[in-house]
Amino acid sequence: MPKSTGRPDIATVLVTILLAGPVLAGLAGTILPAFGYLPVLGYRTFSIEPFRALFNMPGIQISILLSFGTGLVASILSLAIVLLFTAGWSGTRTFVRLTRFLSPLLSVPHAAAAIGLAFLIAPSGFLVRLLSPWATGWTRPPDLLILNDQAGIAMTLGLVAKEVPFLFLMTLAALNRPHIRDFYKSGASLGYGRMSTFIKVILPQIYPLIRLPMLAVIAYATSVVDVAHLLGPTTPPPLAPRLIGWMNDPDLSKRLMASAGALLQLFVSGVSLIVYLLLERGVTLWLKSRFESGHRRRQDAAARQAGLWAMSIVVALMTVSIVLLVVWTTAKSWWFPDVLPQRWSLARMMDSFGTGGPALLATLLLAISAAGIATALTLWVLEGRGFRKKPRHGWLNTYIFLPLLLPQISFLFGLQTLFLGADLSGTMEAVLLAHLIFVFPYAFLALSDPWNRLDPQYAKAAASIGASRARIFWQVQLPLLLRPVLVTFAVAAAVSVGQYLPTLMIGAGRVVTVTTESVALASGGNRQVAALYALLQLVIPLSGFVLAALLPSLVFRNRAAMRLER
Amino acid sequence: MPEALDRAGLTLEAVSIHVDGAPLLDIDCHIPPGNILTIMGESGSGKSSLLDFIAGFLKPALHAEGRIFLNGKNLTDLPAQERHIGLMFQSPLLFPHMSVMQNLMFAIPARVRGRQHRKEIARQALEDVGLNGFGDRDPATLSGGQQTRVALMRTLLAQPMALLLDEPFSSLDQARRAEVRELVFCQARKNDLPVLLVTHDEEDALAAGGLVHFLDNHKNNNGCSKVQQPQISIAKR
């Protein structure tokens, strides 16, 4: 058993360097150019000129407001839907059934979800086709700004559709702890309605576990690029996609302004987080004042229905979007306003497979290596913490999750410059490292809870019969945790596949994945090929999750206690 | 059985619980107010399932027949929160995010108005179980016996009309056990509640002083819990 020396072990130090290193270096590499210092391009004096140029850009205030508004609204709406549904239905058959639907939806990357959603709600999309021409009278796509609408509603919807499954699974994981069922019972036996029990008894206990993922969602949603590209307003776009445009501008001096913009993005996301934390504080105080009132709220049928409807709509939107991706890949011609394609063909799909081969290979390679490294590192760190339940270093958690709490763009700019300087830009290794920064925190998030819940008596029993630490790990702990380890691997692979911005920026156009390719194709308007690439994005993580579900059942087919209890 | 309708107390009318079609237990009994019925049986004999059924939490995998009456009212199809049946668990389950006082005030019905008034009731409840001045404490800092006493008062403050005790003394050490047990029984009698106590400790049953039901468990104990043999509850003593 490891002694508590008060000093972090090697694994912890290594992970900290791996994560915090690039983030801090990247931040520095963003801050310096933002203040006019970029020696590579010959800028060697500090000034606030980049900021002046930034704030002189037309519509910059609108861009800021859009990033702030869509991101914060989408995040809070997602959490509200998840909590309303969980409060009303947790423990029921309906809940179990919808859970089965929602879990695979987690593996749908943001870009794929946004592309599918665009096929659904666009003026020439499936919904309008369903109603045309018999109800609407339209024989050609109406000239409506449904996608890329000025207020960012489509973009908000796209973010909600993607964040709801994520926050839901985080809530499920948080609910998966001892005594939760008994707490429900004690609430009900004291006469409290289902939703009241959840809100007053259960939620305060599980919220600390949902909080960090929620903050990550806000940081992400306020600085998202791919979804904004596909669904967001264009005149002007939100802040993050505008920054990408400036960064890739042939006029290299725009890079200074883009860096200043990245700092502005950091500020905008930071303010969003602060606003959320203030709201959270207000709600907590209000809720605390209600603990003592004794109000039971037994008549909660309306609120329960609302929760069910909201969740069902999200699930339906996502499911239909994915089905549309499949239909589009096999469509040869699909003229408006027909509900289904006139002609089907697999030839185009086969062609695209040929041309998309390298991108698919790169995606797979990145996903498997990033997931493998991240899962192994997570296990190493967790094993290093020994049998103790409490993490020894609170600050370590902060470092691990730092990449998720900062807008990606704020340090990827700097990191790109650094990689350029080191002549690493556009290499697989550099992209892999960039992926790892974001993949590791999720792997850690996915595995640390199952690891901590593993009964320490197993390890003690093994140790008492003389097993070495290595043997305990390989022959006791790892097999017992095979299922969560595989799930972690699948989650990590899914996160890697979903990475758009890191691939785009660090890959510098030389490392191309199905994700970057699908966004480019969708913006280019090639629906069939874009649909295929979006579908490929989702096939990789999905097969990961299927494997994670099947392998343990196969390995432990004669071990009743290793089956999922449900 | 119409006479059940006029009877005060908790009535279980021809209750039987099945798992996958195999009977798990049968019981038919009446507990008058202020009386304690003890149910004894090995683990796996369906004790907890019976309590779940009475309180309204039966798991979907189980199937139950029969009816439950409380003071003449048929509870069988009511949701748990409408049954007014207090439940005490093996662990005290004080809400960890609330203070001891908040745990108690949580249970007082909303129709009891006025924050000061509610607080006074909770304070009095603490005094009744010898925990004067514990109101502001974090429940986690209390001993097991103290937590059980708070849990008891929390259950009673909700003004239940019957009490189900699911081995609530099993987590206590021998010394505290008798003391807390006496307190619980005493409070239940004082409130004139019908009490159903589930336990596997003979001493609990003796201390309760009422009738005892034995749930027999005839299943062949080879570790395979899927197939349940029929079992009969009888023997009163």
Side-chain angles (χ1 to χ4, degrees), chain A residues 91-93 178-197 199-205 288-300, chain B residues 48 52 55 57-61 80-82 84-87 89 91 93-99 101-103 105-113 115 118-119 154-155 157-158:
Chain A
T92 64
R93 277 157 196 260
H179 290 316
I180 282 293
R181 229 182 100 84
D182 287 340
F183 276 118
Y184 265 113
K185 284 188 193 173
S186 66
S189 72
L190 291 171
Y192 277 78
R194 186 184 277 278
M195 295 191 87
S196 273
T197 304
I199 290 166
K200 289 183 178 175
V201 176
I202 311 286
L203 185 59
Q205 297 187 51
K288 278 219 170 105
S289 74
R290 309 298 295 166
F291 285 163
E292 304 170 357
S293 76
H295 287 288
R296 259 67 168 173
R297 308 240 179 268
R298 269 174 231 157
Q299 312 305 329
D300 53 9
Chain B
S48 298
D52 278 352
F57 302 114
L58 197 66
K59 292 194 189 90
Q81 57 266 30
E82 310 273 0
H84 299 284
I85 290 183
L87 198 53
F89 304 87
S91 52
L93 285 180
L94 297 182
F95 304 141
H97 56 291
M98 298 183 193
S99 67
M101 185 66 91
Q102 280 177 321
N103 262 283
M105 289 174 73
F106 183 84
I108 303 172
R111 63 173 177 275
V112 180
R113 302 233 165 232
R115 198 162 174 279
R118 296 170 64 83
K119 213 167 188 165
R154 185 177 69 179
T155 309
L157 283 177

Side-chain angles (χ1 to χ4, degrees), chain A residues 235-455:
Chain A
T235 54
L239 191 56
R242 272 188 106 173
L243 299 180
I244 301 296
W246 296 333
M247 200 64 181
N248 295 332
D249 202 286
D251 176 3
L252 289 179
S253 71
K254 285 245 171 89
R255 291 194 152 223
L256 299 183
M257 186 175 75
S259 299
L263 281 195
L264 177 63
Q265 177 69 65
L266 187 62
F267 178 76
V268 170
S269 298
V271 169
S272 314
L273 289 174
I274 289 168
V275 168
Y276 175 76
L277 291 175
L278 288 176
L279 281 174
E280 179 198 284
R281 184 105 199 96
V283 171
T284 311
L285 283 178
W286 175 80
L287 198 61
K288 278 219 170 105
S289 74
R290 309 298 295 166
F291 285 163
E292 304 170 357
S293 76
H295 287 288
R296 259 67 168 173
R297 308 240 179 268
R298 269 174 231 157
Q299 312 305 329
D300 53 9
R304 290 184 67 199
Q305 286 303 321
L308 180 61
W309 271 99
M311 186 55 99
S312 308
I313 288 173
V314 171
V315 171
L317 276 181
M318 288 286 276
T319 314
V320 175
S321 300
I322 292 164
V323 172
L324 283 178
L325 288 180
V326 178
V327 176
W328 267 111
T329 41
T330 51
K332 187 161 189 195
S333 61
W334 191 2
W335 307 114
F336 192 85
D338 281 11
V339 176
L340 286 175
Q342 290 91 1
R343 288 161 66 204
W344 306 77
S345 159
L346 290 177
R348 177 90 62 68
M349 194 167 100
M350 290 303 148
D351 279 358
S352 311
F353 259 123
T355 49
L360 187 58
L361 192 67
T363 315
L364 259 176
L365 218 57
L366 281 169
I368 290 173
S369 8
I373 296 173
T375 310
L377 275 178
T378 302
L379 280 169
W380 193 16
V381 170
L382 289 172
E383 203 278 338
R385 285 182 182 181
F387 308 145
R388 305 158 124 266
K389 284 289 175 197
K390 291 269 175 219
R392 217 176 310 168
H393 306 284
W395 51 265
L396 172 74
N397 283 349
T398 322
Y399 276 117
I400 286 179
F401 296 113
L402 190 64
L404 302 187
L405 298 179
L406 297 174
Q408 295 190 335
I409 212 168
S410 65
F411 57 93
L412 279 176
F413 270 17
L415 206 56
Q416 187 195 30
T417 319
L418 287 181
F419 279 142
L420 269 175
D423 207 19
L424 283 168
S425 181
T427 62
M428 279 294 265
E429 294 83 354
V431 178
L432 178 62
L433 180 63
H435 276 209
L436 263 180
I437 298 171
F438 302 103
V439 170
F440 180 81
Y442 283 106
F444 195 82
L445 205 59
L447 196 51
S448 54
D449 197 39
W451 179 276
N452 289 331
R453 265 193 289 118
L454 182 68
D455 192 343

Side-chain angles (χ1 to χ4, degrees), chain B residues 160-178:
Chain B
M161 295 193 285
L163 209 52
L164 305 182
L165 307 176
D166 188 359
E167 306 199 31
F169 318 119
S170 60
S171 57
L172 303 178
D173 56 60
Q174 212 58 45
R176 288 268 160 271
R177 204 169 162 131

Side-chain angles (χ1 to χ4, degrees), chain A residues 58-81:
Chain A
I60 189 78
Q61 289 90 345
I62 299 177
S63 296
I64 295 172
L65 276 179
L66 274 173
S67 288
F68 174 79
T70 53
L72 200 57
V73 169
S75 310
I76 292 175
L77 195 61
S78 306
L79 186 66
I81 293 174

Side-chain angles (χ1 to χ4, degrees), chain B residues 75-86:
Chain B
L75 300 185
T76 320
D77 299 316
L78 282 183
Q81 57 266 30
E82 310 273 0
R83 295 191 182 201
H84 299 284
I85 290 183

